[in-house]
Each structure stands twice: as C-alpha cells, then as structure tokens.
Amino acid sequence: MKKEKNDISDNRDEIKVEHEVTKDDLQKKTDKDQNNNNADDKSLLQDEVDKLNDALLRSRAELDNFQKRTLKQMQQAQLYSTEKLSSELLVIIDSLEAAEKLSNDPNLKIENLIEGNNLLLKTTKDVFAKLDIEEIDPLGSPFDPELHQAMATKDVKEQENTVIEVMQKGYKLKSKLLRPALVIVSKKS
C-alpha cells in the first residue's frame, strides 16, 4: 500500500511537472505571439504614417499650385482690365490730338472749337458707358453722404437737406464710388 501511495505521489509530481512545462510553453508562445502582434502593429502603424505623410505632401503641393493659379488669374484679370481701359482711353487721346492740330489753324472758328469739344465730351461719355462708369448728377435729389460730399449749405425756403447745386459731378464704377459729387445742400432758414 505504501508502494501505491508512492506511485500516486510520483504520478502527481509528474503531472505537476507536465503541467508546469505546459504553463511555461504557453507563456513562451504567448510572448512570441505578442511580439509578432507588436511587429504587425508597428508595421501597420508605419504604413498608416507613410500614407498620411504622402497625403500631407500632396495636399501641400495642391495648395501651392492653387495659390499660384489664383495669383496668375488675378494678374491676368488686372492686365485685362488695364488693357480695356487703355484701349478706350486711346480714343480720347486721338480726339484731343486732333483738337490740338485744329487749334493751330489760323482760320479756326469758335463754332468748330465748340463742336469739337462737344464731340470729345460725347466720346468720353461713350467710353465711360463701355467701362460701366456711371455719372452721379444729384441735382434736386436728397443729400446722400455715401455718394455726395457737401461743400457748403445755403439757406432756402424749400425742402431741407436737398442738393441745390452740383459743383462737380461724381462717378462710380458699378457699385464702387470713384469720386463723390461735390454739392451745395439746402438748409431751412
């Protein structure tokens, strides 16, 4: 019986040893799997970092190209507007040069000079119309500080705060004021 107990006891020790070996093996296998997983995770993270860096570089390049394109478009628009204005002003210069030649003529009649001046004024107004430059002539309208500059006031019995005299017309380009009209405004006496 003693022998049986010893055998049982030896079996328990063997089972324990086997059990411990299995536990160690599992621990080693788990560590190995974790190392493999860590390596896989690091590889995946590095791939993700590489993709994000590439996307960042592409975005920066795209932004840089967009800025260059926008600058070029603005320069072309400015050049186009200057070109349009310049070509329209050439018509006025031509008229002024023709008037200068006529002014040297000894047989110049005042009627011809007046007619030339009127044609030059009409030509200038036509050029302004092509360029969308609008005249501000506020005579008789209420004073508007956005479009008019009051140079003086006059006592009148009529309606107060009305433009009663235009000293110099104003001009605007579409909605942008180029020059306010210089006006005299009424005030009640």
PDB file of all heavy atoms in Angstrom, residues 2 8 13 21 23 33 44 47 58 61 64 77 83 105 112 115-116 122 133-134 137 155 166 173:
ATOM      1  N   LYS A   2       1.931   1.095   0.706  1.00  0.00           N
ATOM      2  CA  LYS A   2       2.860   2.193   0.707  1.00  0.00           C
ATOM      3  C   LYS A   2       3.382   2.440  -0.684  1.00  0.00           C
ATOM      4  O   LYS A   2       3.596   3.568  -1.074  1.00  0.00           O
ATOM      5  CB  LYS A   2       4.010   1.875   1.654  1.00  0.00           C
ATOM      6  CG  LYS A   2       3.954   2.677   2.891  1.00  0.00           C
ATOM      7  CD  LYS A   2       5.201   2.405   3.677  1.00  0.00           C
ATOM      8  CE  LYS A   2       5.155   3.220   4.903  1.00  0.00           C
ATOM      9  NZ  LYS A   2       6.266   3.146   5.713  1.00  0.00           N
ATOM     10  N   ILE A   8       1.339   6.922  -6.577  1.00  0.00           N
ATOM     11  CA  ILE A   8       0.370   8.010  -6.757  1.00  0.00           C
ATOM     12  C   ILE A   8       1.061   9.337  -6.560  1.00  0.00           C
ATOM     13  O   ILE A   8       0.872  10.271  -7.317  1.00  0.00           O
ATOM     14  CB  ILE A   8      -0.819   7.849  -5.777  1.00  0.00           C
ATOM     15  CG1 ILE A   8      -1.628   6.629  -6.147  1.00  0.00           C
ATOM     16  CG2 ILE A   8      -1.680   9.084  -5.795  1.00  0.00           C
ATOM     17  CD1 ILE A   8      -2.715   6.303  -5.173  1.00  0.00           C
ATOM     18  N   ASP A  13       3.555  14.286  -8.983  1.00  0.00           N
ATOM     19  CA  ASP A  13       4.722  15.119  -9.281  1.00  0.00           C
ATOM     20  C   ASP A  13       4.925  15.227 -10.791  1.00  0.00           C
ATOM     21  O   ASP A  13       5.251  16.295 -11.307  1.00  0.00           O
ATOM     22  CB  ASP A  13       5.990  14.539  -8.631  1.00  0.00           C
ATOM     23  CG  ASP A  13       5.990  14.727  -7.110  1.00  0.00           C
ATOM     24  OD1 ASP A  13       5.207  15.601  -6.649  1.00  0.00           O
ATOM     25  OD2 ASP A  13       6.745  14.040  -6.430  1.00  0.00           O
ATOM     26  N   VAL A  21       5.379  22.627 -17.253  1.00  0.00           N
ATOM     27  CA  VAL A  21       6.005  22.750 -18.571  1.00  0.00           C
ATOM     28  C   VAL A  21       4.998  23.334 -19.551  1.00  0.00           C
ATOM     29  O   VAL A  21       5.314  24.213 -20.325  1.00  0.00           O
ATOM     30  CB  VAL A  21       6.532  21.372 -19.049  1.00  0.00           C
ATOM     31  CG1 VAL A  21       6.918  21.427 -20.507  1.00  0.00           C
ATOM     32  CG2 VAL A  21       7.692  20.920 -18.192  1.00  0.00           C
ATOM     33  N   LYS A  23       2.518  25.203 -18.865  1.00  0.00           N
ATOM     34  CA  LYS A  23       2.319  26.602 -18.488  1.00  0.00           C
ATOM     35  C   LYS A  23       3.456  27.462 -19.038  1.00  0.00           C
ATOM     36  O   LYS A  23       3.224  28.532 -19.599  1.00  0.00           O
ATOM     37  CB  LYS A  23       2.268  26.689 -16.957  1.00  0.00           C
ATOM     38  CG  LYS A  23       1.449  27.788 -16.420  1.00  0.00           C
ATOM     39  CD  LYS A  23       1.432  27.661 -14.902  1.00  0.00           C
ATOM     40  CE  LYS A  23       0.430  28.550 -14.280  1.00  0.00           C
ATOM     41  NZ  LYS A  23       0.494  28.520 -12.844  1.00  0.00           N
ATOM     42  N   ASP A  33       3.693  35.325 -29.664  1.00  0.00           N
ATOM     43  CA  ASP A  33       2.543  35.879 -30.389  1.00  0.00           C
ATOM     44  C   ASP A  33       2.446  37.393 -30.186  1.00  0.00           C
ATOM     45  O   ASP A  33       2.153  38.135 -31.124  1.00  0.00           O
ATOM     46  CB  ASP A  33       1.234  35.207 -29.931  1.00  0.00           C
ATOM     47  CG  ASP A  33       1.097  33.771 -30.446  1.00  0.00           C
ATOM     48  OD1 ASP A  33       1.888  33.399 -31.350  1.00  0.00           O
ATOM     49  OD2 ASP A  33       0.218  33.045 -29.934  1.00  0.00           O
ATOM     50  N   LEU A  44       1.798  48.045 -39.379  1.00  0.00           N
ATOM     51  CA  LEU A  44       0.553  48.702 -39.786  1.00  0.00           C
ATOM     52  C   LEU A  44       0.585  50.198 -39.475  1.00  0.00           C
ATOM     53  O   LEU A  44       0.158  51.023 -40.291  1.00  0.00           O
ATOM     54  CB  LEU A  44      -0.643  48.052 -39.090  1.00  0.00           C
ATOM     55  CG  LEU A  44      -1.020  46.649 -39.558  1.00  0.00           C
ATOM     56  CD1 LEU A  44      -2.122  46.071 -38.661  1.00  0.00           C
ATOM     57  CD2 LEU A  44      -1.475  46.678 -41.003  1.00  0.00           C
ATOM     58  N   ASP A  47       2.854  51.935 -41.929  1.00  0.00           N
ATOM     59  CA  ASP A  47       2.159  52.079 -43.216  1.00  0.00           C
ATOM     60  C   ASP A  47       1.180  53.250 -43.170  1.00  0.00           C
ATOM     61  O   ASP A  47       1.090  54.050 -44.106  1.00  0.00           O
ATOM     62  CB  ASP A  47       1.405  50.794 -43.584  1.00  0.00           C
ATOM     63  CG  ASP A  47       2.345  49.668 -43.987  1.00  0.00           C
ATOM     64  OD1 ASP A  47       3.541  49.945 -44.227  1.00  0.00           O
ATOM     65  OD2 ASP A  47       1.868  48.511 -44.068  1.00  0.00           O
ATOM     66  N   ARG A  58       0.960  65.776 -50.686  1.00  0.00           N
ATOM     67  CA  ARG A  58       0.109  66.039 -51.860  1.00  0.00           C
ATOM     68  C   ARG A  58      -0.799  67.248 -51.616  1.00  0.00           C
ATOM     69  O   ARG A  58      -0.997  68.075 -52.498  1.00  0.00           O
ATOM     70  CB  ARG A  58      -0.727  64.806 -52.200  1.00  0.00           C
ATOM     71  CG  ARG A  58       0.089  63.677 -52.771  1.00  0.00           C
ATOM     72  CD  ARG A  58      -0.784  62.444 -53.063  1.00  0.00           C
ATOM     73  NE  ARG A  58      -0.009  61.308 -53.439  1.00  0.00           N
ATOM     74  CZ  ARG A  58       0.416  61.060 -54.675  1.00  0.00           C
ATOM     75  NH1 ARG A  58       0.113  61.902 -55.629  1.00  0.00           N
ATOM     76  NH2 ARG A  58       1.129  59.991 -54.936  1.00  0.00           N
ATOM     77  N   ALA A  61       1.248  70.409 -51.891  1.00  0.00           N
ATOM     78  CA  ALA A  61       1.542  70.695 -53.295  1.00  0.00           C
ATOM     79  C   ALA A  61       0.310  71.232 -54.007  1.00  0.00           C
ATOM     80  O   ALA A  61       0.390  72.180 -54.791  1.00  0.00           O
ATOM     81  CB  ALA A  61       2.047  69.433 -53.989  1.00  0.00           C
ATOM     82  N   ASP A  64      -0.242  74.808 -52.888  1.00  0.00           N
ATOM     83  CA  ASP A  64       0.752  75.672 -53.529  1.00  0.00           C
ATOM     84  C   ASP A  64       0.371  75.936 -54.984  1.00  0.00           C
ATOM     85  O   ASP A  64       0.422  77.083 -55.454  1.00  0.00           O
ATOM     86  CB  ASP A  64       2.135  75.013 -53.436  1.00  0.00           C
ATOM     87  CG  ASP A  64       3.243  75.929 -53.908  1.00  0.00           C
ATOM     88  OD1 ASP A  64       3.224  77.123 -53.525  1.00  0.00           O
ATOM     89  OD2 ASP A  64       4.133  75.455 -54.648  1.00  0.00           O
ATOM     90  N   ALA A  77      -6.475  89.101 -64.868  1.00  0.00           N
ATOM     91  CA  ALA A  77      -7.677  89.932 -64.769  1.00  0.00           C
ATOM     92  C   ALA A  77      -7.298  91.406 -64.677  1.00  0.00           C
ATOM     93  O   ALA A  77      -7.924  92.268 -65.310  1.00  0.00           O
ATOM     94  CB  ALA A  77      -8.512  89.523 -63.561  1.00  0.00           C
ATOM     95  N   GLU A  83      -5.871  96.792 -69.871  1.00  0.00           N
ATOM     96  CA  GLU A  83      -5.847  96.806 -71.335  1.00  0.00           C
ATOM     97  C   GLU A  83      -7.136  97.405 -71.884  1.00  0.00           C
ATOM     98  O   GLU A  83      -7.111  98.234 -72.802  1.00  0.00           O
ATOM     99  CB  GLU A  83      -5.666  95.372 -71.852  1.00  0.00           C
ATOM    100  CG  GLU A  83      -5.649  95.258 -73.357  1.00  0.00           C
ATOM    101  CD  GLU A  83      -5.574  93.808 -73.820  1.00  0.00           C
ATOM    102  OE1 GLU A  83      -5.378  92.919 -72.981  1.00  0.00           O
ATOM    103  OE2 GLU A  83      -5.724  93.584 -75.027  1.00  0.00           O
ATOM    104  N   ASP A 105      -4.658 126.169 -86.373  1.00  0.00           N
ATOM    105  CA  ASP A 105      -5.157 126.695 -87.644  1.00  0.00           C
ATOM    106  C   ASP A 105      -5.532 128.165 -87.471  1.00  0.00           C
ATOM    107  O   ASP A 105      -6.342 128.511 -86.613  1.00  0.00           O
ATOM    108  CB  ASP A 105      -6.377 125.871 -88.073  1.00  0.00           C
ATOM    109  CG  ASP A 105      -6.924 126.256 -89.431  1.00  0.00           C
ATOM    110  OD1 ASP A 105      -6.335 127.147 -90.092  1.00  0.00           O
ATOM    111  OD2 ASP A 105      -7.945 125.671 -89.832  1.00  0.00           O
ATOM    112  N   ASN A 112     -16.358 125.759 -84.543  1.00  0.00           N
ATOM    113  CA  ASN A 112     -15.674 124.476 -84.759  1.00  0.00           C
ATOM    114  C   ASN A 112     -15.058 123.966 -83.449  1.00  0.00           C
ATOM    115  O   ASN A 112     -15.080 122.765 -83.177  1.00  0.00           O
ATOM    116  CB  ASN A 112     -14.584 124.615 -85.827  1.00  0.00           C
ATOM    117  CG  ASN A 112     -15.164 124.858 -87.210  1.00  0.00           C
ATOM    118  OD1 ASN A 112     -16.349 124.636 -87.446  1.00  0.00           O
ATOM    119  ND2 ASN A 112     -14.331 125.323 -88.122  1.00  0.00           N
ATOM    120  N   GLU A 115     -17.870 122.663 -81.299  1.00  0.00           N
ATOM    121  CA  GLU A 115     -18.341 121.387 -81.845  1.00  0.00           C
ATOM    122  C   GLU A 115     -17.349 120.263 -81.501  1.00  0.00           C
ATOM    123  O   GLU A 115     -17.748 119.168 -81.083  1.00  0.00           O
ATOM    124  CB  GLU A 115     -18.515 121.486 -83.356  1.00  0.00           C
ATOM    125  CG  GLU A 115     -19.049 120.220 -83.984  1.00  0.00           C
ATOM    126  CD  GLU A 115     -19.167 120.334 -85.503  1.00  0.00           C
ATOM    127  OE1 GLU A 115     -19.091 121.446 -86.044  1.00  0.00           O
ATOM    128  OE2 GLU A 115     -19.322 119.271 -86.131  1.00  0.00           O
ATOM    129  N   GLY A 116     -16.065 120.516 -81.628  1.00  0.00           N
ATOM    130  CA  GLY A 116     -15.035 119.528 -81.293  1.00  0.00           C
ATOM    131  C   GLY A 116     -15.067 119.163 -79.811  1.00  0.00           C
ATOM    132  O   GLY A 116     -14.927 117.992 -79.439  1.00  0.00           O
ATOM    133  N   LYS A 122     -18.872 113.796 -75.765  1.00  0.00           N
ATOM    134  CA  LYS A 122     -19.711 112.642 -76.120  1.00  0.00           C
ATOM    135  C   LYS A 122     -18.874 111.366 -76.195  1.00  0.00           C
ATOM    136  O   LYS A 122     -19.276 110.312 -75.687  1.00  0.00           O
ATOM    137  CB  LYS A 122     -20.405 112.890 -77.454  1.00  0.00           C
ATOM    138  CG  LYS A 122     -21.326 111.753 -77.873  1.00  0.00           C
ATOM    139  CD  LYS A 122     -21.870 111.973 -79.266  1.00  0.00           C
ATOM    140  CE  LYS A 122     -22.744 110.861 -79.754  1.00  0.00           C
ATOM    141  NZ  LYS A 122     -22.277 109.527 -79.561  1.00  0.00           N
ATOM    142  N   ILE A 133     -18.803 102.984 -66.117  1.00  0.00           N
ATOM    143  CA  ILE A 133     -18.604 104.108 -65.204  1.00  0.00           C
ATOM    144  C   ILE A 133     -19.842 104.984 -65.311  1.00  0.00           C
ATOM    145  O   ILE A 133     -20.199 105.462 -66.379  1.00  0.00           O
ATOM    146  CB  ILE A 133     -17.324 104.906 -65.558  1.00  0.00           C
ATOM    147  CG1 ILE A 133     -16.101 104.012 -65.382  1.00  0.00           C
ATOM    148  CG2 ILE A 133     -17.221 106.152 -64.686  1.00  0.00           C
ATOM    149  CD1 ILE A 133     -14.797 104.641 -65.821  1.00  0.00           C
ATOM    150  N   GLU A 134     -20.490 105.172 -64.171  1.00  0.00           N
ATOM    151  CA  GLU A 134     -21.770 105.883 -64.130  1.00  0.00           C
ATOM    152  C   GLU A 134     -21.586 107.272 -63.518  1.00  0.00           C
ATOM    153  O   GLU A 134     -20.886 107.442 -62.529  1.00  0.00           O
ATOM    154  CB  GLU A 134     -22.742 105.066 -63.273  1.00  0.00           C
ATOM    155  CG  GLU A 134     -24.154 105.557 -63.286  1.00  0.00           C
ATOM    156  CD  GLU A 134     -25.039 104.668 -62.414  1.00  0.00           C
ATOM    157  OE1 GLU A 134     -24.804 103.453 -62.349  1.00  0.00           O
ATOM    158  OE2 GLU A 134     -25.966 105.220 -61.781  1.00  0.00           O
ATOM    159  N   ASP A 137     -25.073 112.753 -60.900  1.00  0.00           N
ATOM    160  CA  ASP A 137     -25.505 114.149 -61.025  1.00  0.00           C
ATOM    161  C   ASP A 137     -26.761 114.305 -60.153  1.00  0.00           C
ATOM    162  O   ASP A 137     -27.878 114.112 -60.613  1.00  0.00           O
ATOM    163  CB  ASP A 137     -25.803 114.487 -62.482  1.00  0.00           C
ATOM    164  CG  ASP A 137     -26.062 115.974 -62.684  1.00  0.00           C
ATOM    165  OD1 ASP A 137     -25.928 116.757 -61.718  1.00  0.00           O
ATOM    166  OD2 ASP A 137     -26.404 116.362 -63.817  1.00  0.00           O
ATOM    167  N   ASP A 155     -29.167 128.752 -47.171  1.00  0.00           N
ATOM    168  CA  ASP A 155     -30.488 128.915 -46.579  1.00  0.00           C
ATOM    169  C   ASP A 155     -31.514 129.048 -47.691  1.00  0.00           C
ATOM    170  O   ASP A 155     -31.358 129.883 -48.595  1.00  0.00           O
ATOM    171  CB  ASP A 155     -30.531 130.164 -45.692  1.00  0.00           C
ATOM    172  CG  ASP A 155     -29.673 130.001 -44.439  1.00  0.00           C
ATOM    173  OD1 ASP A 155     -29.475 128.854 -44.014  1.00  0.00           O
ATOM    174  OD2 ASP A 155     -29.201 131.027 -43.904  1.00  0.00           O
ATOM    175  N   VAL A 166     -24.690 121.481 -58.029  1.00  0.00           N
ATOM    176  CA  VAL A 166     -23.616 120.497 -58.190  1.00  0.00           C
ATOM    177  C   VAL A 166     -22.380 121.247 -58.676  1.00  0.00           C
ATOM    178  O   VAL A 166     -22.375 121.807 -59.765  1.00  0.00           O
ATOM    179  CB  VAL A 166     -24.013 119.392 -59.194  1.00  0.00           C
ATOM    180  CG1 VAL A 166     -22.870 118.405 -59.391  1.00  0.00           C
ATOM    181  CG2 VAL A 166     -25.260 118.666 -58.727  1.00  0.00           C
ATOM    182  N   LEU A 173     -18.061 103.217 -60.415  1.00  0.00           N
ATOM    183  CA  LEU A 173     -17.833 102.054 -61.269  1.00  0.00           C
ATOM    184  C   LEU A 173     -18.673 100.932 -60.699  1.00  0.00           C
ATOM    185  O   LEU A 173     -18.353 100.393 -59.626  1.00  0.00           O
ATOM    186  CB  LEU A 173     -16.351 101.682 -61.282  1.00  0.00           C
ATOM    187  CG  LEU A 173     -15.956 100.421 -62.044  1.00  0.00           C
ATOM    188  CD1 LEU A 173     -16.274 100.565 -63.527  1.00  0.00           C
ATOM    189  CD2 LEU A 173     -14.477 100.136 -61.860  1.00  0.00           C
TER     190      LEU A 173
END
